Amino acid sequence: MALSRTSKNIHPPGHMKQIYRKSKKRNLTYRHVCEVGVYLPETSNVIDFIKDGIRATLVEADPETVEKIRAYFKGYNIQLHPCAVWERNGTIKLSKAQASTFVSELKSSPAIENDRYEIKESETFEVSCKAFSEIDTGDIDLLSIDIEGSEWFVIKHLISRPKTISVETHGKYYTNPYIHEIKKWMQDNDYITWYKDGSDTVFIQKRLFTPSWKDKVYIAFNNLKIRWKKLKRLFK
């Protein structure tokens, strides 16, 4: 796939995640980290924090990977929720496009935009879903969300006000379908952009620190890359 959780998250053994390295450099400490959309446990965005013994809430809807997560993190301080996050409690249909699993009723996802994936009934399955307010205990201080277009439904029902929030917002031709709602929520709740990578935007509480000039330059560079890729698509 042009953009998949496999390609953007797999890293060599011993290599620490960027969010972990940058948080350490800024002396940011967390007591409760949460990841919504874990996929394979070894690709978890919060794996380094978990291995440090920090309490973690993990949410993963794909039943094929839930047991792998449970086994991999056995003995660590985690709570695993085997469900999707959505607007309501109940059940919902998901579509699986290789490593990308997304809510079938979404009009846009990385698989749809980048790979022109067409939803097939044979690749669709039903899972339980919850509003994130049913999961959020109010004390999450680092939140990572990668659920292929549904990230807004986590933020919308967020009880906690984490120090750091990582959201999948872009990638190749894809832009999160709720990017305007996400940005407005961040602004209304006093968050600013800390940095961007190939697929995620990482926000911090404004009071914590001012991003460095290097972070700002890299944000501008990534914004240019995103615009350039979209222009290239128009000419294809």
Side-chain angles (χ1 to χ4, degrees):
M1 293 181 63
L3 174 69
S4 71
R5 288 186 288 188
T6 304
S7 62
K8 81 182 180 72
N9 281 331
I10 283 182
H11 55 286
H15 178 77
M16 295 181 294
K17 292 286 185 177
Q18 186 177 26
I19 195 166
Y20 180 82
R21 290 186 283 106
K22 290 180 80 71
S23 292
K24 287 290 185 184
K25 189 173 181 180
R26 282 288 185 174
N27 294 316
L28 290 174
T29 58
Y30 308 113
R31 294 184 178 181
H32 183 187
V33 301
C34 175
E35 181 170 21
V36 185
V38 180
Y39 188 49
L40 296 175
E42 58 269 28
T43 71
S44 167
N45 204 31
V46 298
I47 186 172
D48 304 298
F49 299 104
I50 294 172
K51 290 186 174 182
D52 277 354
I54 294 170
R55 174 187 170 202
T57 295
L58 304 177
V59 184
E60 175 55 51
D62 190 341
E64 290 186 7
T65 59
V66 165
E67 289 309 313
K68 293 178 182 178
I69 294 167
R70 203 186 305 277
Y72 188 93
F73 290 122
K74 185 178 181 181
Y76 289 99
N77 188 12
I78 72 158
Q79 182 176 15
L80 177 59
H81 294 266
C83 64
V85 173
W86 192 237
E87 182 76 279
R88 51 176 168 76
N89 297 339
T91 60
I92 199 163
K93 286 187 175 181
L94 302 182
S95 293
K96 189 167 186 175
Q98 298 180 40
S100 179
T101 302
F102 60 94
V103 172
S104 302
E105 62 185 80
L106 285 174
K107 302 300 182 186
S108 177
S109 76
I112 292 171
E113 298 299 328
N114 295 332
D115 308 313
R116 302 195 181 277
Y117 175 78
E118 295 183 4
I119 295 173
K120 306 176 183 67
E121 192 62 34
S122 61
E123 295 171 343
T124 301
F125 57 98
E126 193 170 78
V127 298
S128 63
C129 63
K130 292 181 181 179
F132 193 67
S133 54
E134 298 286 316
I135 296 170
D136 187 355
T137 52
D139 59 354
I140 297 166
D141 46 19
L142 183 150
L143 175 64
S144 176
I145 323 168
D146 179 356
I147 45 177
E148 312 295 290
S150 301
E151 290 80 6
W152 166 240
F153 298 100
V154 176
I155 295 166
K156 183 180 180 181
H157 297 286
L158 190 59
I159 297 170
S160 301
R161 290 297 181 268
K163 296 176 183 177
T164 308
I165 305 177
S166 175
V167 186
E168 184 180 36
T169 53
H170 58 276
K172 198 176 179 181
Y173 308 131
Y174 170 74
T175 299
N176 193 295
Y178 296 96
I179 189 63
H180 297 299
E181 289 88 342
I182 292 168
K183 286 182 175 180
K184 185 176 188 307
W185 188 95
M186 295 296 171
Q187 183 177 4
D188 291 347
N189 288 275
D190 292 324
Y191 285 83
I192 57 173
T193 300
W194 179 8
Y195 67 91
K196 287 186 178 184
D197 61 20
S199 59
D200 300 343
T201 302
V202 179
F203 301 91
I204 53 160
Q205 291 180 353
K206 188 186 295 184
R207 64 177 178 81
L208 292 175
F209 60 83
T210 301
S212 69
W213 68 268
K214 286 184 179 179
D215 289 325
K216 292 176 181 178
V217 168
Y218 200 57
I219 288 168
F221 176 69
N222 269 291
N223 287 338
L224 285 173
K225 282 205 307 184
I226 292 166
R227 293 191 188 101
W228 172 242
K229 286 174 182 177
K230 291 182 183 300
L231 282 172
K232 281 173 67 176
R233 188 180 198 182
L234 291 174
F235 290 113
K236 282 190 176 181

